[in-house]
Amino acid sequence: MTRIFLDVHALQTVPPSNLNRDDTGAPKTAVYGGVPRARVSSQAWKRATRTYFADEHLLEPSELGVRTKKVVEVLAERIAALDESLRGERALVLADETVKATGLKTEVPKRKADAAKETGEIPAPEAKYLVFLSARQLEGLARLALDGAADITAFFKDKANKDKAREIADSRHSVDVALFGRMVADAADFNVDAAVQVAHAISVHRVEIESDYYTAVDDKNTEEETGAGMIGTVDFNSATLYRYAALGIHQLAATLGQGLRDDEPRTDPVRRAVEAFVHGFVASLPTGKINTFGHHTLPDAVVVKLRTTRPISFVAAFEEPVRGDQGGHVREASDRLAAYVPDIERAYGDEESTLTWVLRVGPNTLKLTDLGTETDTLSGLVAAVGSAVVERLEQPA
């Protein structure tokens, strides 16, 4: 299959906020172009995107997965749902043996073992690492466990049954597993290559961290009781962020295969995945300290490119930090992109085969219209990108 890449670029301004904290509780930062920048880690925005799929019903539950160490408990719940006579300890035993049959390792955490000594309950084993499984894989493993319920230990001594467990766990991947990948250090054959790469979002300008000193009043204080019931500080910054993600359409298509439905064209699951990712990545937002700051913003501008050479980030347009001489950062950042993108693509890109869409808001982003086809709404952008991806996939290699 021809290599096909989808690049998503966004400029988004956030007010005083702390979207993504470091180990001291301060907003994450990075030095770029010799100055400190605000930073939001790729992990934070990938999780925000992934949870947005379910929260906004962009994909059906059957097309999504769950990432958890508590995979034994999750599978036990599936087993009990299929057969109500198998509950509690029995379901946990079946689930644990089935998970182990896939090649994953489980153990009872010390905290659970200690608690069990007090309560007398049977503790549920956990995987030693986060495990990402699709809804269809969990369903398949639950049904396989029921097949061996009479003697699950003997059942999985049969190599054919153990191979079946591995096959179920490594086929019919959910959209989020195909997009963001799956890695298990001690079971390399269980890994799934991620189709998406998400860059750390950084501010286009220099940023300094500020601190908010706050007090809280005790509602039950009498007039004679002066002073605050609580005092503290919280660090924050505000920034215009450059956000970037690259999606390998060819990798996504290879992982999804024929998709999760038996009666659909080959390109349908890929189209749904692409549309969900573009929508989710653009509209999602990390929720760190959101109750404190209410930083509910959306991008001022989005540029999406479909190309066949290689992914290209435009972050170098901001290697020299935007100064904000015009009273803000969005206009200069947009002007920088509008000037930089044609130059870098002329030198390295495939201008003839690259398709470009622009979604923007307000006069500050006007120059970006020169980059490609302007769309009025996010839904319009998503639909246009999805159709173009299908067309590219259907072209002969």
Side-chain angles (χ1 to χ4, degrees), residues 60-88:
E60 296 179 4
S62 63
E63 294 181 295
L64 295 173
V66 59
R67 188 179 67 172
T68 180
K69 287 184 176 182
K70 299 178 181 179
V71 61
V72 174
E73 292 180 64
V74 172
L75 185 56
E77 291 172 1
R78 295 289 181 115
I79 292 170
L82 292 173
D83 187 340
E84 294 186 357
S85 68
L86 297 172
R87 292 189 174 277

Side-chain angles (χ1 to χ4, degrees), residues 1 4 59 63 175 247 249-250 252-254 256-276 383 385-396:
M1 178 187 294
I4 308 171
L59 292 164
E63 294 181 295
V175 168
L247 171 56
I249 305 296
H250 54 286
L252 180 64
L256 288 178
Q258 291 298 321
L260 301 175
R261 302 173 185 171
D262 298 325
D263 57 346
E264 65 181 358
R266 176 181 62 88
T267 55
D268 273 19
V270 180
R271 175 185 56 78
R272 289 197 305 277
V274 169
E275 291 180 351
V385 171
S387 296
V389 165
V390 169
E391 186 175 340
R392 284 286 173 90
L393 287 172
E394 291 178 342
Q395 290 178 357

Side-chain angles (χ1 to χ4, degrees), residues 13-55:
T13 297
V14 290
S17 55
N18 190 341
L19 280 74
N20 186 208
R21 287 167 277 177
D22 65 15
D23 58 335
T24 69
K28 290 185 177 179
T29 60
V31 174
Y32 183 65
V35 302
R37 312 289 184 111
R39 176 172 66 93
V40 181
S41 71
S42 59
Q43 296 93 327
W45 228 301
K46 282 191 283 189
R47 174 163 175 78
T49 302
R50 189 165 60 85
T51 56
Y52 196 87
F53 293 159
D55 293 345

Side-chain angles (χ1 to χ4, degrees), residues 3-9 247-250 270 274 278 303-311 314 345 350-357 384-393 395:
R3 299 204 314 166
I4 308 171
F5 296 99
L6 190 75
D7 289 341
V8 184
H9 314 262
L247 171 56
I249 305 296
H250 54 286
V270 180
V274 169
V278 172
V303 178
V304 179
K305 287 184 169 285
L306 188 65
R307 63 174 84 250
T308 57
T309 50
R310 51 155 288 185
F314 300 142
E345 289 191 330
D350 52 338
E351 291 180 283
E352 293 184 1
S353 63
T354 298
L355 300 176
T356 306
W357 300 266
V385 171
S387 296
V389 165
V390 169
E391 186 175 340
R392 284 286 173 90
L393 287 172
Q395 290 178 357

Side-chain angles (χ1 to χ4, degrees), residues 13 19 33 78 101 125 130 153 168 230 238 267 274 285 357 374:
T13 297
L19 280 74
R78 295 289 181 115
L130 289 170
T153 302
I168 291 171
M230 176 182 177
S238 58
T267 55
V274 169
L285 187 66
W357 300 266
E374 188 169 8

Side-chain angles (χ1 to χ4, degrees), residues 79-203:
I79 292 170
L82 292 173
D83 187 340
E84 294 186 357
S85 68
L86 297 172
R87 292 189 174 277
E89 182 182 350
R90 180 61 175 146
L92 285 174
V93 170
L94 293 176
D96 189 35
E97 291 298 325
T98 304
V99 169
K100 288 177 180 176
T102 69
L104 299 174
K105 296 181 179 179
T106 67
E107 62 182 7
V108 176
K110 186 177 183 302
R111 70 182 190 283
K112 283 189 174 182
D114 291 342
K117 294 176 183 177
E118 301 290 333
T119 63
E121 296 179 359
I122 303 299
E126 293 183 4
K128 298 175 67 175
Y129 25 66
L130 289 170
V131 178
F132 207 173
L133 289 171
S134 74
R136 291 297 181 94
Q137 289 164 351
L138 287 167
E139 184 75 10
L141 290 173
R143 293 188 180 280
L144 183 64
L146 291 181
D147 291 343
D151 188 342
I152 196 68
T153 302
F155 183 73
F156 283 122
K157 283 183 178 179
D158 186 330
K159 185 177 182 299
N161 293 329
K162 186 171 290 189
D163 289 345
K164 182 64 174 177
R166 287 178 173 270
E167 179 187 348
I168 291 171
D170 199 28
S171 60
R172 305 198 83 180
H173 297 295
S174 60
V175 168
D176 45 2
V177 171
L179 285 170
F180 300 111
R182 183 173 70 191
M183 190 188 78
V184 178
D186 55 5
D189 57 345
F190 201 71
N191 295 345
V192 177
D193 290 335
V196 167
Q197 298 171 345
V198 177
H200 290 236
I202 63 170
S203 63

Side-chain angles (χ1 to χ4, degrees), residues 221-233:
N221 272 2
T222 64
E223 292 183 2
E224 291 77 20
E225 294 176 293
T226 60
M230 176 182 177
I231 60 174
T233 60

